[in-house]
Amino acid sequence: MSNLEIGLTSFPLLLVLIFLRIPIGLAMFLVGLGGLYFLTGNPNIALAKLKTETYSTFSSYSLSIVPMFLLMGHFATLGGMSQALFKAAESFLGHRRGGVAMAAVGACAGFGAICGSSLATAATMSQVALPELRRYGYSGGFSTATLAAGGTLGILIPPSVILVIYAILTEQNIAKLFLAAFVPGILAAVGYMITISIYVRLHPDAAGVREPIPMAQRFKALADVWPVLLVFTAVVGGIYLGIFTPTEGAAVGAAGTGLIALANGGLNKVTLIESFMATARSTAMIFFIVLGAGFYNGFLALSQVPQELSNYVVGLGYSPWIILAIILSLYLIFGCVMDSLSMILLTIPIFFPIIASLDFGLTMEETAIWFGIIVLIVVEVGLITPPVGMNLFVINSMDRLTPMVETYKAVMYFVASDVIRVILLIAFPGITLFLLRLLH
């Protein structure tokens, strides 16, 4: 077999291992290590890469941003920020039809601004919002679907762990990617609220009604959100004013949320250790997937698969928009069987060279950033797409009384909202690049 054939054979082999329930990080590591041996015929080369790849991955300064953002999310929960966000949103929206569900989405968007993880956002906001949704008579499937969809805002609204990984893989500026994600993130939250409004009109029994809250109480609840605004402004403002790098900003955010949690009484010796341990477990999982992807992608590069595939696709003569549509369709399919991080690490080294070689009427940097945001949104759709949407399982584990099939039915409305948003961002790249062009 030629090197190219070995590289192409590795992909179905990897999928078989994933379907056999082998952790995807381990599956990519094994296939990459074995592939290097088959390509070179020398086990010493594969073992040498085991040493160099492991060191270069785990000593990466850029990746240190990941545990900082994860820790920031844990401290934010301990500091009561999730509850404050939900109460503020509920006080202004709760009396409307479907308003408590809209408040949950708004709170998820706010929490996503201080937590870079979708699963963490979904799990945290579910603890806060699910009891309230039950209290006001919202149906189980509608409630869980709303929180699963709202949780995806955790990786879209900056800071985002997935965007950090994408920036490292494509050698793009993290701060510019964060900036480009703002408008699509706001568009996502508004789209979900519109979806909720449509859903409760089509299914009137799915949502109860709550009495309006006096205006004085509304502003009091709004005032309680100041710690979130303070941390977000300090982190994002510091990055864009050039006071510190994104990695330093993540450390500032973690320290800030930690101090707020300490002041609010949520942080003590026990919860501090629990936060460190939870952050360490999540970071270890992410880093091992990154290591496995590094081995697999190194093997693919040596086999020339990305380069040959890029040349082949460009040589077909199809419109760049058709090729983009095919790639995004593949992401939707992968989303049914993979988590978001695995999809990014596995596919970007293959798909990005193809996109980079096509002409969308944008500069190279704009194309990379625009494609990154679109991929992020499509990956986000995968988190709520049956049958293996990760957010759906997280929410379902917190509400055992609701059958999964009910969540599946309701979440398809939110998937439709995501598809419409993707079409808008593809048709009008300026929506994504607006702030980037304005400030640069």
Side-chain angles (χ1 to χ4, degrees), residues 90 100 129-138 143 208-210:
E90 186 188 20
V100 181
L130 265 179
E132 288 294 299
L133 290 165
R134 290 197 197 99
R135 178 183 171 191
Y136 292 109
Y138 282 68
S143 300
V209 180
R210 201 208 66 180

Side-chain angles (χ1 to χ4, degrees), residues 57-384:
T57 297
F58 296 149
S59 64
S60 170
Y61 176 74
S62 298
L63 275 179
S64 62
I65 197 173
V66 173
M68 290 295 101
F69 279 144
L70 293 175
L71 185 61
M72 187 164 72
H74 287 295
F75 284 162
T77 303
L78 294 173
M81 296 184 192
S82 54
Q83 294 93 327
L85 283 165
F86 179 70
K87 287 179 181 178
E90 186 188 20
S91 65
F92 281 91
L93 297 171
H95 62 282
R96 300 178 181 277
R97 183 181 293 181
V100 181
M102 293 180 189
V105 168
C108 284
F111 195 74
I114 51 174
C115 177
S117 166
S118 173
L119 296 180
T121 300
T124 301
M125 295 312 305
S126 294
Q127 292 175 348
V128 176
L130 265 179
E132 288 294 299
L133 290 165
R134 290 197 197 99
R135 178 183 171 191
Y136 292 109
Y138 282 68
S139 68
F142 178 45
S143 300
T144 51
T146 298
L147 291 167
T152 62
L153 298 174
I155 64 169
L156 182 55
I157 295 179
S160 168
V161 171
I162 300 297
L163 274 183
V164 171
I165 300 298
Y166 176 86
I168 293 171
L169 289 174
T170 59
E171 299 180 350
Q172 297 302 310
N173 185 290
I174 295 175
K176 289 183 178 180
L177 277 164
F178 282 0
L179 187 63
F182 271 111
V183 174
I186 294 170
L187 195 63
V190 172
Y192 286 160
M193 290 184 185
I194 293 173
T195 301
I196 290 169
S197 180
I198 294 172
Y199 187 91
V200 295
R201 281 165 174 76
L202 294 176
H203 306 275
D205 296 335
V209 180
R210 201 208 66 180
E211 292 296 319
I213 291 177
M215 193 60 68
Q217 292 185 28
R218 295 185 188 184
F219 284 110
K220 182 181 182 302
L222 188 62
D224 291 338
V225 179
W226 72 265
V228 178
L229 297 177
L230 179 64
V231 171
F232 179 74
T233 303
V235 174
V236 176
I239 291 172
Y240 292 114
L241 290 176
I243 299 173
F244 38 68
T245 66
T247 305
E248 292 165 347
V252 169
T257 50
L259 290 174
I260 292 169
L262 182 64
N264 290 343
L267 189 63
N268 53 48
K269 183 178 179 181
V270 174
T271 55
L272 178 65
I273 293 174
E274 288 176 352
S275 297
F276 283 156
M277 292 301 294
T279 300
R281 284 192 293 269
S282 299
T283 302
M285 178 192 71
I286 291 172
F287 275 30
F288 187 72
I289 294 175
V290 171
L291 177 65
F295 267 88
Y296 184 66
N297 294 331
F299 153 64
L300 286 181
L302 191 62
S303 69
Q304 296 290 303
V305 167
Q307 299 90 325
E308 292 296 332
L309 189 60
S310 176
N311 294 335
Y312 174 75
V313 171
V314 172
L316 291 175
Y318 291 150
S319 163
W321 304 100
I322 293 176
I323 295 173
L324 177 63
I326 293 171
I327 288 174
L328 296 181
S329 299
L330 290 174
Y331 272 113
L332 289 176
I333 295 170
F334 292 153
C336 295
V337 295
M338 289 185 193
D339 64 272
S340 55
L341 180 62
S342 302
M343 275 192 283
I344 291 290
L345 288 166
L346 183 61
T347 60
I348 289 301
I350 298 174
F351 291 155
F352 183 72
I354 296 174
I355 293 297
S357 64
L358 301 174
D359 182 13
F360 293 96
L362 305 170
T363 66
M364 182 61 221
E365 182 184 52
E366 287 180 337
T367 299
I369 291 173
W370 171 65
F371 178 65
I373 301 302
I374 292 175
V375 166
L376 184 69
I377 294 172
V378 177
V379 164
E380 162 200 318
V381 178
L383 290 171
I384 58 173

